[in-house]
Amino acid sequence: MPTSAASPQDQLPPVPGAPPLPALSEQARRLIAVGLVSDSGEVTPGRLREAARRLEEQVPEGALLVVSEAVLPPSVLVPHLRAPALGRDRGEREGFVVVDMPDVDDFAPTAAVQLPEAVVYAVTAPDRGDHLRNDSPAEADAELASRGRSPLTLAEGVHWALQTPGVLARNACYMTIGSRLRKGAGFDARTPALWISNGTGRDGRERRGAPKAGWCWWNNRHTWLGFASAESRIG
């Protein structure tokens, strides 16, 4: 009996699972340690620590701590990402936003994303969406909706990579289709994503291995990009 052909998903290379997230209180300490939260900011270290303690009593383990993008937009968050250089290169690479996305902070949560009113909130059960690699954003959006999951926003996706840098792995990075740019009655076709730069083209050789906030077309497929999503958000 002839065997059936393998599906595109069956042909994708295996990838390591996403690393576990630390406790919310530890995530708060990291945001403070990297300088994203200070006494002069809208969210002070004391306020952040208190919010983390409160949320730890309400959410299961493995949740992600997020500071509202009204306070910490992607353009502020991304440069704090770090990843080891590739190959024979040494040291760490700093995160960056691609040059043709100067409007990165204008990508706003879609109607599919219900953000809490709280300035500090938790994202429960974040998932990288590896099973959706090689789907287009349009296809993945429908699949996530059918499973009752909410796509992560770009800011949430950056928070995740900041807390566990290993979540961005070669051949297993992710799109954040919870953020779109309004254009007339619809959306701009660019769709935000996070992945590891190869240091080619306008990225520059010096950015080889760096975490990268960029975009892909809404109807295109990429074998190395899953679709990050959450079970819920609690503020």
Side-chain angles (χ1 to χ4, degrees):
M1 179 181 296
T3 57
S4 58
S7 70
Q9 291 295 323
D10 294 333
Q11 298 169 10
L12 294 176
V15 295
L21 278 159
L24 297 186
S25 55
E26 181 60 33
Q27 294 181 46
R29 282 193 288 271
R30 176 158 175 76
L31 292 176
I32 296 166
V34 300
L36 282 166
V37 176
S38 67
D39 287 325
S40 62
E42 181 175 342
V43 176
T44 64
R47 183 180 179 186
L48 182 64
R49 285 191 290 263
E50 177 56 33
R53 285 193 293 268
R54 175 179 55 80
L55 288 167
E56 281 181 330
E57 298 175 354
Q58 302 177 52
V59 301
E61 292 184 1
L64 172 67
L65 186 69
V66 175
V67 177
S68 168
E69 61 189 81
V71 176
L72 294 179
S75 64
V76 172
L77 290 168
V78 171
H80 290 270
L81 296 177
R82 296 292 184 272
L86 296 178
R88 296 180 179 178
D89 296 339
R90 296 183 178 182
E92 287 187 325
R93 295 292 186 261
E94 180 181 297
F96 69 100
V97 179
V98 294
V99 296
D100 53 355
M101 203 176 181
D103 49 0
V104 62
D105 291 339
D106 295 332
F107 284 72
T110 67
V113 176
Q114 298 297 317
L115 294 182
E117 293 184 3
V119 176
V120 180
Y121 63 95
V123 170
T124 67
D127 183 84
R128 196 167 58 188
D130 293 343
H131 64 291
L132 297 173
R133 285 185 298 153
N134 212 37
D135 279 6
S136 70
E139 293 164 337
D141 190 43
E143 175 65 18
L144 291 175
S146 73
R147 297 188 179 201
R149 293 189 60 87
S150 176
L152 290 195
T153 66
L154 177 57
E156 291 170 344
V158 180
H159 270 90
W160 193 7
L162 192 151
Q163 295 292 348
T164 55
V167 75
L168 292 179
R170 302 298 295 175
N171 297 317
C173 297
Y174 50 88
M175 300 192 72
T176 54
I177 59 176
S179 294
R180 301 289 304 278
L181 178 64
R182 285 283 179 185
K183 188 175 183 180
F187 294 106
D188 190 285
R190 292 174 299 162
T191 313
L194 293 166
W195 71 95
I196 303 295
S197 173
N198 284 325
T200 57
R202 287 185 289 181
D203 288 359
R205 177 67 178 76
E206 69 281 3
R207 283 175 166 162
R208 187 170 185 265
K212 169 181 178 176
W215 57 270
C216 301
W217 298 119
W218 179 252
N219 287 308
N220 283 7
R221 299 184 179 93
H222 297 282
T223 58
W224 71 93
L225 291 174
F227 292 84
S229 67
E231 185 176 85
S232 65
R233 295 172 177 85
I234 298 175

